[in-house]
Amino acid sequence: MTEKNTKNETPFKVQTEQFADIKILRFRVPGFEDLLTSQKILLYYLYEAALAGRDILWDQNFRYNLLIRRSLENIYKTYKGERTGQNWETFVVYLKRVWFSNGIHHHYSMDKFVPEIPSDYFSDLIKNSDFAGFPGNFDETDSFTETLIPLIFDEKIASKRVVQDAGTDLIEASANNFYENISQQEAEDFYQKLTDPDNSRPVSYGLNSKLVKENGVITEKVWKVGGMYAEAIEKIVFWLEKAIIVAENPIQKATLSKLVDFYRTGDLDAFDEYNILWLQDTKSLIDVVNGFIEVYGDPLGRKGTFESVVSIRDVESTKRAKTVSDNAQWFEDHSPTHPEYKKKNVTGVSAKGINVVIESGDCSPSTPIGINLPNADWIRAEYGSKSVTIDNIMTAYDEASKNSGAIEEFAWSDEEVQLSKKWGNLCANLHVDLHEIVGHGSGKLKEGVGNPADTLKNYASTLEEARADLVALYFAIDPKLVGLNLMPEISVGFAEYNSYVRGGMMTQLVRVEPGKNIEESHMRNRQLIAAWAYEKGKSENIIEKKTRDGKTFFVVNNHVLLREIFGALLREIQRIKSEGDYEAGKNLVEKYGVKVDLDLHQEVLERWKKLNIAPFSGFINPRLVPVFDGENIVDVKIEYPEDFIGQMLEYGEKHSFLPTKN
Ligand code: ZN
């Protein structure tokens, strides 16, 4: 073990810049220096494999994203005109937003955003840049400009990446690149035919392909070596094969080899086998997610977007997660839910804390703070799942928020501020652990009640997130957590209650545009819980709405009674899920989770504006640099770049393998 030498170093800069609605942060990688050289080399190969897939997501998000990105990058690098002034600055902000969103649609709202510069100015940027550096097979500047300008400036073209509104053809309305010349009905029929309703181990049909109609025939273009995205996937395979050689142990070798099989064949059974192997690899210090994983980018929920997360297990937080996991049955038994809807045998969740080394694709620059995989329900039921809390990301968020002034602005008292600063990081970590490890895995359905996606429909995911959050909240002030050494004192949980109520009643509204309702399911869930608790506790003043200097505050007066309220709501939402009670679920979500108090929203936006904090964050990745002795890598150094633009240009130059389509 090497001693940490931090004494003479300048403090690590967490936030580097802010533009539009985005702030750019950095994270450290604790534990990297303590690794064996072979482990560092393994990380380096996985790092290259992660970045090799980055372009895939750009193309998945919108078929012209790569054309647009490469054009903007060429302007940025070669424009010979004035590189100062309002228009230039606005152009650069637009480029940074495109980088951040992996395309021209907002990463969160999915709406297309356009640069606030005259299109004439944009034409001038093209004319005065190095034409040979532009992508695609355009022969003269004019046709290139004519193609590019509407794609970038016309809000009606490709206006939303993923459309979820019922009553429209979701495929036709969505700008993403998962289907071509296909109607929603045709796509649904295509997959309906493939699905065998009697198979208890259903294949994830459609996960790794684009569905197209050519000459009247509907076929899948599979993402694999020799198929669609071959140029990038071959690079991923190249690096994974190197990783296999230096893998930590036989199970990790077998896991990575199966992943290579999957990329070579595109066979979805191989992907399931890979996931089962991956679940069994709990010993390795280094872990990786690399593949077509989440399906939120497809309105039909089938197509997986590329992502990669390369990580090192964190010893301390894994202890914490393991304690939660080992006691999962205790939590289930002591949950306030109806005995009939409790699991008798809670099993199979392997939990750990990790520090990420690099993230790519759908996990970067914007990143999750917890991951629970694999997604296939039958694998989860038979083999369990891996639940992961990303520690170094959470630490970076905590450090950034401590200095933002937001806690001081929205907390009622100095005591509340101090409590939040003291325990903010720990209570957030515990919340994620309890939510992921205990919450989602808890409870059971009543006999004969179908899958929540079918019974609760469009309210299923909000109610599921609420259920997991309520489990975390209910136990947050349980003395059991102190007994298990998960927290030193109950006031850690008090800090959690305070911040949850502040967030659910007020601060999360900064992510909603004025006049709009709440759409995103995690946000709906948080308001649902906070607003329901506020109303139920009103007569006893459990959560109190106070005002001072014209500002609104929500103050928790009695944490113990608030816990009872959380417990009652948990009991009801578990009942709704277990019984598939659509009407009750709908009423809860619509009454408490969707509508926004217009005056309060306005006030929150104004207070937030004065703080000048962007509501969304993303991260600059560290850079891994191999050290060679002749042909061989003998060591790997880690660097922490501070320049977002520099990193994006570097990725575009060194880790970009897909051709540009006109
Ligand atoms: Zn969740």
Side-chain angles (χ1 to χ4, degrees):
M1 293 290 246
T2 47
E3 188 90 339
K4 271 191 196 131
N5 176 22
T6 49
K7 278 181 198 142
N8 299 323
E9 288 170 15
T10 46
F12 187 85
K13 192 202 265 180
V14 175
Q15 181 168 341
T16 62
E17 64 173 310
Q18 177 169 320
F19 52 86
D21 56 356
I22 292 158
K23 50 181 179 289
I24 298 293
L25 309 178
R26 298 158 78 223
F27 59 85
R28 274 159 292 201
V29 186
F32 183 86
E33 305 302 336
D34 301 331
L35 297 173
L36 302 170
T37 306
S38 60
Q39 291 170 322
K40 292 184 190 173
I41 295 171
L42 171 59
L43 281 173
Y44 170 66
Y45 293 147
L46 297 173
Y47 163 96
E48 290 281 0
L51 289 174
R54 174 176 177 256
D55 277 359
I56 295 174
L57 178 73
W58 284 76
D59 192 72
Q60 289 178 318
N61 282 346
F62 179 47
R63 62 175 304 188
Y64 296 109
N65 270 339
L66 285 171
L67 172 74
I68 294 167
R69 186 190 85 201
R70 286 170 178 152
S71 303
L72 300 174
E73 286 172 352
N74 185 54
I75 292 170
Y76 185 82
K77 287 192 280 193
T78 68
Y79 178 62
K80 290 180 285 288
E82 195 66 55
R83 296 171 69 93
T84 52
Q86 182 71 47
N87 280 339
W88 176 256
E89 307 278 325
T90 307
F91 164 73
V92 174
V93 167
Y94 174 69
L95 173 54
K96 289 197 278 192
R97 294 183 70 191
V98 171
W99 276 324
F100 186 89
S101 300
N102 296 297
I104 59 169
H105 301 94
H106 192 278
H107 75 290
Y108 200 78
S109 75
M110 308 279 167
D111 293 324
K112 179 174 178 175
F113 53 89
V114 301
E116 286 158 15
I117 46 174
S119 59
D120 288 356
Y121 175 74
F122 193 76
S123 306
D124 176 68
L125 290 176
I126 294 174
K127 275 196 198 82
N128 291 294
S129 298
D130 173 19
F131 192 70
F134 283 114
N137 301 313
F138 295 97
D139 40 18
E140 31 107 17
T141 322
D142 284 348
S143 78
F144 178 68
T145 309
E146 278 160 25
T147 304
L148 202 57
I149 285 197
L151 284 175
I152 291 178
F153 286 88
D154 189 338
E155 287 178 77
K156 287 198 241 18
I157 295 177
S159 58
K160 193 155 189 172
R161 177 148 68 79
V162 188
V163 171
Q164 301 277 20
D165 316 330
T168 49
D169 185 308
L170 300 179
I171 288 181
E172 203 187 321
S174 300
N176 58 25
N177 188 25
F178 297 122
Y179 305 89
E180 202 167 310
N181 298 324
I182 295 260
S183 71
Q184 182 179 347
Q185 193 60 50
E186 285 171 318
E188 283 170 354
D189 292 346
F190 181 87
Y191 287 110
Q192 184 70 44
K193 276 193 201 122
L194 291 178
T195 311
D196 170 8
D198 298 326
N199 186 358
S200 60
R201 295 169 178 175
V203 178
S204 306
Y205 288 117
L207 184 72
N208 65 334
S209 64
K210 177 173 175 175
L211 195 64
V212 300
K213 184 154 70 182
E214 285 172 341
N215 307 317
V217 183
I218 299 176
T219 49
E220 284 188 320
K221 292 196 163 176
V222 179
W223 307 328
K224 62 171 187 171
V225 172
M228 192 171 167
Y229 300 143
E231 300 87 345
I233 293 173
E234 277 158 20
K235 294 285 179 190
I236 296 174
V237 165
F238 172 85
W239 292 108
L240 288 178
E241 288 186 326
K242 285 179 176 293
I244 291 167
I245 297 168
V246 292
E248 292 179 80
N249 51 53
I251 179 79
Q252 191 176 47
K253 254 189 224 300
T255 308
L256 292 171
S257 302
K258 191 53 86 174
L259 181 57
V260 168
D261 273 2
F262 167 65
Y263 276 132
R264 285 194 179 284
T265 61
D267 177 7
L268 287 164
D269 287 322
F271 187 63
D272 286 342
E273 289 162 28
Y274 155 74
N275 278 309
I276 292 164
L277 284 165
W278 179 73
L279 281 172
Q280 286 158 25
D281 179 11
T282 52
K283 294 277 183 299
S284 304
L285 203 58
I286 287 158
D287 204 353
V288 61
V289 173
N290 184 309
F292 308 112
I293 309 292
E294 301 295 350
V295 295
Y296 305 114
D298 172 14
L300 303 190
R302 288 197 174 271
K303 309 292 173 186
T305 44
F306 176 84
E307 69 176 52
S308 186
V309 176
V310 178
S311 65
I312 310 170
R313 190 172 64 229
D314 185 87
V315 178
E316 252 327 287
S317 65
T318 297
K319 242 191 262 169
R320 191 186 63 223
K322 200 176 170 310
T323 303
V324 172
S325 175
D326 289 348
N327 290 279
Q329 189 67 54
W330 186 92
F331 290 115
E332 183 74 345
D333 294 344
H334 291 79
S335 146
T337 52
H338 197 284
E340 198 188 335
Y341 303 140
K342 285 184 201 289
K343 264 198 188 127
K344 300 286 171 286
N345 294 298
V346 183
T347 48
V349 181
S350 96
K352 62 177 179 176
I354 60 171
N355 292 307
V356 291
V357 178
I358 182 159
E359 297 177 305
S360 164
D362 229 355
C363 292
S364 179
S366 175
T367 167
I369 50 176
I371 302 175
N372 194 326
L373 290 174
N375 282 329
D377 281 324
W378 72 267
I379 301 180
R380 298 171 75 89
E382 288 186 33
Y383 297 90
S385 65
K386 259 192 210 177
S387 175
V388 160
T389 310
I390 309 179
D391 285 281
N392 54 343
I393 296 284
M394 292 192 67
T395 302
Y397 277 136
D398 183 59
E399 285 173 20
S401 82
K402 260 182 195 157
N403 303 320
S404 71
I407 302 171
E408 286 85 348
E409 176 63 32
F410 290 95
W412 171 253
S413 64
D414 192 44
E415 188 196 347
E416 193 180 328
V417 172
Q418 296 314 321
L419 206 58
S420 191
K421 292 201 168 180
K422 188 171 178 192
W423 298 124
N425 200 14
L426 178 60
C427 73
N429 277 299
L430 275 173
H431 181 86
V432 175
D433 284 345
L434 286 164
H435 173 111
E436 297 285 350
I437 302 167
V438 181
H440 282 307
S442 69
K444 68 170 185 189
L445 300 181
K446 189 174 180 170
E447 282 252 318
V449 171
N451 197 319
D454 299 324
T455 57
L456 303 177
K457 301 192 171 77
N458 50 323
Y459 300 105
S461 66
T462 296
L463 291 165
E464 178 57 20
E465 291 309 324
R467 205 176 64 87
D469 262 0
L470 284 162
V471 169
L473 290 167
Y474 183 75
F475 290 109
I477 65 164
D478 196 305
K480 179 78 174 176
L481 297 194
V482 180
L484 291 170
N485 277 325
L486 288 167
M487 60 192 202
E489 55 187 68
I490 290 293
S491 60
V492 178
F494 289 7
E496 173 65 22
Y497 281 19
N498 297 342
S499 84
Y500 199 93
V501 169
R502 283 199 306 272
M505 297 302 283
M506 291 194 292
T507 52
Q508 71 164 359
L509 293 175
V510 301
R511 293 179 164 210
V512 180
E513 281 174 48
K516 290 208 173 165
N517 283 334
I518 301 177
E519 284 188 43
E520 201 272 332
S521 49
H522 292 82
M523 288 183 61
R524 284 184 167 186
N525 125 53
R526 286 189 288 259
Q527 179 170 296
L528 157 62
I529 292 174
W532 195 87
Y534 172 64
E535 189 183 287
K536 298 295 156 186
K538 221 169 188 172
S539 59
E540 290 170 282
N541 215 16
I542 293 171
I543 299 173
E544 188 178 355
K545 185 178 179 179
K546 297 189 181 187
T547 47
R548 183 173 60 209
D549 307 331
K551 293 176 178 177
T552 308
F553 300 84
F554 287 88
V555 190
V556 180
N557 286 329
N558 190 326
H559 296 83
V560 177
L561 289 180
L562 181 54
R563 183 188 188 201
E564 297 310 314
I565 291 178
F566 287 149
L569 186 57
L570 172 56
R571 191 179 162 93
E572 171 61 2
I573 288 182
Q574 180 62 57
R575 184 199 68 74
I576 288 170
K577 181 182 178 182
S578 294
E579 299 176 4
D581 188 344
Y582 174 81
E583 279 305 316
K586 177 186 171 183
N587 288 342
L588 268 184
V589 177
E590 291 291 347
K591 182 161 180 208
Y592 299 97
V594 176
K595 282 180 242 67
V596 176
D597 177 331
L598 290 178
D599 293 338
L600 185 62
H601 191 191
Q602 192 55 40
E603 180 196 322
V604 169
L605 290 174
E606 276 164 23
R607 286 163 71 182
W608 196 264
K609 200 168 175 205
K610 280 188 198 131
L611 295 169
N612 194 28
I613 316 165
F616 299 101
S617 310
F619 288 83
I620 299 174
N621 281 309
R623 183 193 294 119
L624 296 190
V625 185
V627 180
F628 286 91
D629 180 9
E631 295 276 282
N632 301 320
I633 299 178
V634 292
D635 196 8
V636 177
K637 300 272 176 241
I638 190 164
E639 295 173 0
Y640 297 101
E642 292 192 23
D643 179 19
F644 180 63
I645 292 181
Q647 176 150 88
M648 293 296 103
L649 291 174
E650 178 187 326
Y651 288 178
E653 280 162 21
K654 291 190 189 157
H655 305 277
S656 183
F657 305 108
L658 293 183
T660 313
K661 288 188 288 273
N662 280 13

